[in-house]
Amino acid sequence: MRKYLYILLSVLVPMSAMAYTLKRVSVHDPSIVWEPVSQTYYIFGSHRAAAKTTDLMNWTAFTAPWATATSNNATNSAALAEAVKWSKRGSTNYSVDGNMWAPDVIWNKAMNKWCMYLSVNGDNWYSSIVLLTADNIEGPYLYQATVVMSGFHTGTTYKDTDLEQVIGTQASLPGRYAIGNGWGRRYPNCIDPCVFYDEEGKLWMSYGSWSGGIWMLELDENTGLRDYDVTYTLTGSGDGVTIDPYFGKKVAGGFYVSGEASYIEYIGGYYYLFVTYGGLAAGGVANDYNNGGYQMRVFRSENPDGPYKDSQSHDAVFTSYLLNFGPNENDGNRGVNIFGAYTSWGNQAKGNFGERSQGHNSIIAAEDGRTYLVYHTRFQNRGEEHQVRVHQVFQSKNGWLVVAPFEYTGEEVKSADMATTQQIATDRIPGKYMLLIHNYKLDHTKKNTASPTEIEMKEDGSITGGAIGTWKIEEGTSYITLKINNTYYHGVMVEQTLEPTDTKAPAFTAIAATTGTTVWGYQTEASAAGIANITIDDDSATGAIYDLRGHRVKNTHSKGIYIRNGKKIIVR
């Protein structure tokens, strides 16, 4: 049987019908957790915001219910009286409303409870992290106790904390804590908890924001509170203390460098630590480098409590103050820049909807075999409006995480598939691409973003156009190596959906381990040598034929658009 095949030079025909839907929510500081009975993902965030979904694309918002032991209470101020009383020391007009930040929820196997670790923020470091529990993931959550407190830097304030329960009775406040406003260089602000089990079943909590850095405590699996049987020997001196008998072990930051929202997940042999640098605002304020620059940086370790290092072997812990974001960053570009502010990308992240100030993320190695990054983002010209985004995450061959360049829209590929399957056939790769390099040192006071340039990846393995280099796919896998402007990037090549349409395109995401920089790319037009009306017997056709989803087909007896040898063809 003969078919007429017309080689197309135009871009892929857009499809009006979408194979998926996206329903947005606004949850600041989203922390993701899986509830297996209902097969539902939940995110919990600051200011009692929460949402749920079964597909990570369509979210339903709800208000997370705090409660006292006897009655429901919108602010739970009665149940949180201990924490509220502590935070009131920091300001005369303190209100807990607006200061319940960044909860993290986890199922405690020993307690048979859902445990919520909630930040109760206060001025002058008078903050604490409290534990609430529930039988149902949607609550009501009941206050149990305070886990850790900060800010006891003067007088007898320590008497209202559990410091003496940890280190013994004290005649007066130990001198290492009696440092007044110097607290912010040495010790943590006790907010932003991340609670996780390690591979041995131990329960840990990382916490802290800016100030003296990110710290780590072992928790008691049976109570969900700190493990009072674990002791920490004072290590380091002055502002350089790295282990403290009360606060545990410092794993990142210090000396008031920026950094908050620690999140740790075990993936493929490593514990990955995410920390968000910079200020959370959308930016655009002249000469105010704290106003904007929110950006996720990544470190990894073989141990849950570190040491955590980036791809350039920089330690996540600072030994002096360095500016670690913005155009004057001078910390050696510490932390893998997994991505940052960008615009003119695909069909959606463009114009006023270019993404910026992405951060305070969570990440989950899910039950479905995929890994998902969940974060909130602001936009280029929409003020402080923010929404949640979900991207799939893969592990490069050299063990660093790379993030899919477009939102998750139901793609079936799994993380483990990268090593065992070639998602994009070699002859589909050549073509024109948009290339986006996520560089460090964006000027957020001017709302700078990364913008793409056009390149061509040719059949001979060369790259030309807006960047010069080479590409090579590892046959039988999805691992790709790119040399771009004399820098090598290692990552994966997968099919992506160019939201909000259903158009599919080959895409890559890769990291340069030597610099910590990430690149994204997606194909805009496949290669085509010319136009020809040709008649071909299916049985004599040479070159594998793929449908638009990248699935190989045995013949072209069905009408439609296909790709063969990197060329788009239509069968009528």
Side-chain angles (χ1 to χ4, degrees), residues 152-153 155 158 163 167-168 170-179:
F152 43 89
H153 46 68
Y158 72 98
L163 178 67
I167 68 173
Q170 304 292 307
S172 61
L173 178 64
R176 64 180 180 274
Y177 303 121
I179 51 178

Side-chain angles (χ1 to χ4, degrees), residues 277-297 324-329 337 339-342 355-358 380 439-450:
Y277 287 176
L280 61 80
V285 179
N287 301 318
D288 183 358
Y289 291 108
N290 290 333
N291 186 276
Y294 226 40
Q295 187 180 75
M296 294 168 282
R297 303 285 181 92
N324 60 346
F325 68 101
N328 299 316
E329 181 172 348
N337 180 13
F339 64 87
Y342 63 92
E355 286 194 17
R356 65 179 309 103
S357 297
Q358 309 103 317
Q380 184 66 1
N439 285 316
Y440 295 84
K441 299 186 177 181
L442 292 177
D443 189 343
H444 298 276
T445 69
K446 298 178 181 178
K447 286 197 171 184
N448 285 169
T449 60

Side-chain angles (χ1 to χ4, degrees), residues 134-202:
D135 294 319
N136 185 293
I137 193 170
E138 294 192 24
Y141 282 88
L142 309 179
Y143 173 79
Q144 300 300 318
T146 300
V147 183
V148 66
M149 306 168 75
S150 58
F152 43 89
H153 46 68
T154 59
T156 60
T157 53
Y158 72 98
K159 292 291 185 181
D160 294 323
T161 75
D162 63 341
L163 178 67
E164 291 182 307
Q165 185 177 351
V166 176
I167 68 173
T169 302
Q170 304 292 307
S172 61
L173 178 64
R176 64 180 180 274
Y177 303 121
I179 51 178
N181 288 334
W183 185 278
R185 289 175 54 84
R186 185 175 302 180
Y187 289 120
N189 187 27
C190 288
I191 61 173
D192 293 357
C194 169
V195 178
F196 65 98
Y197 286 97
D198 69 14
E199 291 301 286
E200 304 300 322
K202 291 183 178 180

Side-chain angles (χ1 to χ4, degrees), residues 249-308:
K249 183 178 181 181
K250 185 190 296 185
V251 295
F255 292 90
Y256 227 104
V257 299
S258 81
E260 60 186 21
S262 64
Y263 204 90
I264 297 173
E265 183 79 348
Y266 183 81
I267 303 168
Y270 295 97
Y271 295 91
Y272 289 91
L273 166 66
F274 282 75
V275 180
T276 304
Y277 287 176
L280 61 80
V285 179
N287 301 318
D288 183 358
Y289 291 108
N290 290 333
N291 186 276
Y294 226 40
Q295 187 180 75
M296 294 168 282
R297 303 285 181 92
V298 184
F299 303 82
R300 74 182 185 190
S301 175
E302 294 181 352
N303 304 303
D305 60 345
Y308 283 92

Side-chain angles (χ1 to χ4, degrees), residues 127-139:
S127 301
S128 59
I129 295 170
V130 300
L131 170 64
L132 303 93
T133 63
D135 294 319
N136 185 293
I137 193 170
E138 294 192 24

Side-chain angles (χ1 to χ4, degrees), residues 372-385:
Y372 302 100
L373 179 72
V374 183
Y375 64 95
H376 72 248
T377 182
R378 287 169 169 77
F379 303 97
Q380 184 66 1
N381 291 302
R382 298 185 67 84
E384 297 307 311
E385 174 189 341

Side-chain angles (χ1 to χ4, degrees), residues 307-562:
Y308 283 92
K309 296 182 182 294
D310 66 14
S311 64
Q312 302 177 75
S313 297
H314 295 136
D315 199 300
V317 175
F318 284 72
T319 57
S320 64
Y321 176 79
L322 294 171
L323 184 62
N324 60 346
F325 68 101
N328 299 316
E329 181 172 348
N330 65 352
D331 67 337
N333 297 340
R334 194 176 306 212
V336 170
N337 180 13
I338 200 156
F339 64 87
Y342 63 92
T343 190
S344 301
W345 186 246
N347 301 315
Q348 182 167 270
K350 55 199 299 186
N352 291 340
F353 286 93
E355 286 194 17
R356 65 179 309 103
S357 297
Q358 309 103 317
H360 207 122
N361 69 283
S362 54
I363 184 170
I364 184 170
E367 297 291 327
D368 63 9
R370 301 176 185 89
T371 301
Y372 302 100
L373 179 72
V374 183
Y375 64 95
H376 72 248
T377 182
R378 287 169 169 77
F379 303 97
Q380 184 66 1
N381 291 302
R382 298 185 67 84
E384 297 307 311
E385 174 189 341
H386 56 85
Q387 290 181 340
V388 172
R389 293 288 186 268
V390 179
H391 287 237
Q392 199 169 351
V393 177
F394 306 100
Q395 195 172 35
S396 68
K397 190 174 182 179
N398 59 359
W400 287 101
L401 301 182
V402 290
V403 177
F406 293 97
E407 288 181 82
Y408 175 71
T409 53
E411 288 82 3
E412 297 179 357
V413 61
K414 298 181 179 180
S415 301
D417 294 338
M418 299 299 97
T420 59
T421 66
Q422 186 170 342
Q423 294 295 309
I424 305 296
T426 303
D427 58 8
R428 283 191 67 198
I429 297 175
K432 293 181 180 179
Y433 285 74
M434 297 305 292
L435 171 73
L436 189 66
I437 301 178
H438 291 286
N439 285 316
Y440 295 84
K441 299 186 177 181
L442 292 177
D443 189 343
H444 298 276
T445 69
K446 298 178 181 178
K447 286 197 171 184
N448 285 169
T449 60
S451 298
T453 186
E454 187 174 71
I455 62 171
E456 184 171 359
M457 296 173 63
K458 296 188 173 182
E459 293 181 7
D460 63 2
S462 64
I463 296 175
T464 61
I468 304 299
T470 60
W471 66 270
K472 183 178 181 181
I473 194 80
E474 185 177 316
E475 295 289 341
T477 78
S478 295
Y479 295 134
I480 189 169
T481 299
L482 303 115
K483 183 181 180 183
I484 299 173
N485 298 336
N486 293 317
T487 299
Y488 283 96
Y489 296 82
H490 299 276
V492 300
M493 190 140 200
V494 294
E495 187 175 70
Q496 289 277 271
T497 302
L498 304 185
E499 79 276 344
T501 71
D502 193 37
T503 300
K504 313 296 180 184
F508 59 78
T509 174
I511 172 184
T514 56
T515 65
T517 304
T518 299
V519 291
W520 287 349
Y522 70 94
Q523 191 181 85
T524 58
E525 180 181 342
S527 300
I531 300 176
N533 292 346
I534 55 177
T535 303
I536 298 177
D537 284 329
D538 291 329
D539 295 338
S540 65
T542 58
I545 300 173
Y546 300 87
D547 64 21
L548 296 184
R549 300 185 68 87
H551 299 141
R552 188 167 178 168
V553 295
K554 293 182 178 179
N555 55 53
T556 57
H557 287 280
S558 300
K559 295 180 179 180
I561 301 173
Y562 300 87

